[in-house]
Amino acid sequence: CCTAFLVNFSFFLLVGKTSPLTTNVVGYFKTCIVFIGGIAFFSTTYTAQNVVGIATTLLGVSVYTTVKYTLDQRARLKIERTKEI
């Protein structure tokens, strides 16, 4: 119960600091971690479809994170350059 509250509260804080899309991406990442944990710790059976889905999701999360980080860095540099002028 406390863990569920903390997860929901952390998502509430995340939405306040980021965009809804970023929150969705974090949710997908969390789901992948749950699946991987189930396979690793509880010997959950998995299919090729599970593996492809997890790999595709992790690839998408990685691409989104890289693009978002790059765009944020460019925006910060642009702001810093305008402050210097």
Side-chain angles (χ1 to χ4, degrees):
C1 180
C2 290
T3 305
F5 171 77
L6 291 175
V7 168
N8 287 330
F9 187 67
S10 67
F11 267 84
F12 171 76
L13 295 176
L14 184 68
V15 170
K17 295 286 182 185
T18 63
S19 69
L21 179 60
T22 300
T23 303
N24 228 3
V25 170
V26 170
Y28 289 130
F29 179 72
K30 183 186 76 156
T31 302
C32 284
I33 296 302
V34 168
F35 282 135
I36 292 169
I39 292 168
F41 297 116
F42 300 112
S43 301
T44 303
T45 57
Y46 56 93
T47 64
Q49 185 178 8
N50 296 127
V51 174
V52 169
I54 291 170
T56 303
T57 303
L58 292 177
L59 177 65
V61 168
S62 298
V63 169
Y64 175 79
T65 303
T66 302
V67 169
K68 179 97 170 120
Y69 179 77
T70 302
L71 292 176
D72 286 348
Q73 290 300 319
R74 287 182 185 170
R76 286 185 185 150
L77 284 174
K78 188 175 182 181
I79 291 171
E80 289 176 5
R81 287 182 186 157
T82 57
K83 286 182 180 179
E84 291 176 359
I85 297 175

